[in-house]
Amino acid sequence: KKIISVLLILTTIFLSCQKEINSPLKSPDGLPIVVTNTLTTIADTFAIGGGNVLSDGGSAIVARGICWSTIPNPSITDSHTNNGAGLGSFIDTIRGLLPSTAYHFRAYATNGNGTVYGTDSAFITSALPAILPVVTTNTTTLITATT
């Protein structure tokens, strides 16, 4: 009897833990859960990065992407990409940036209940590459002893 009781208790604990592990993330207000990923590339006029939509909050994700601005906490009313819909990781290219400029960016996800944002992060674009002058050497002609 004791062995059966112990097995029943262990089975109950295992099944309850299993349910917890497999249950989807869900915010209490029905909004998505999104994480901002670090940038993988920073150039003079563009940057590459992304995010991860971990939960749809119980309503389908209709838009996701990255928004950016020169001020903290950009939103979709600022410049932004649209990387489609749905859960999971995504990568986007932020285009049209100015060289040697500080920017803030964050991932966003929108469902039927609203838009949420990942953590605000900052970066500085690189300077434009130096433009070197073009030098052309002509062929030497009329060579004399002194000229």
Side-chain angles (χ1 to χ4, degrees), residues 39 48-51 64-68 79-82 90-94 105-108:
L39 296 176
I48 299 173
R64 66 184 190 176
I66 302 172
C67 48
W68 68 93
S79 298
H80 66 280
T81 65
N82 187 335
F90 61 90
I91 297 174
D92 266 329
T93 301
I94 302 170
F105 74 101
R106 58 187 180 165
Y108 74 90

Side-chain angles (χ1 to χ4, degrees), residues 35-124:
V35 175
T36 302
N37 293 342
T38 58
L39 296 176
T40 57
T41 303
I42 300 172
D44 51 0
T45 60
F46 71 94
I48 299 173
N52 190 359
V53 182
L54 301 174
S55 170
D56 62 11
S59 179
I61 301 296
V62 296
R64 66 184 190 176
I66 302 172
C67 48
W68 68 93
S69 175
T70 55
I71 59 172
N73 300 313
S75 70
I76 56 174
T77 60
D78 296 305
S79 298
H80 66 280
T81 65
N82 187 335
N83 191 276
L87 295 171
S89 294
F90 61 90
I91 297 174
D92 266 329
T93 301
I94 302 170
R95 300 181 190 281
L97 303 177
L98 298 173
S100 302
T101 304
Y103 287 94
H104 290 263
F105 74 101
R106 58 187 180 165
Y108 74 90
T110 303
N111 70 6
N113 297 315
T115 300
V116 296
Y117 301 92
T119 304
D120 180 81
S121 296
F123 68 99
I124 299 174

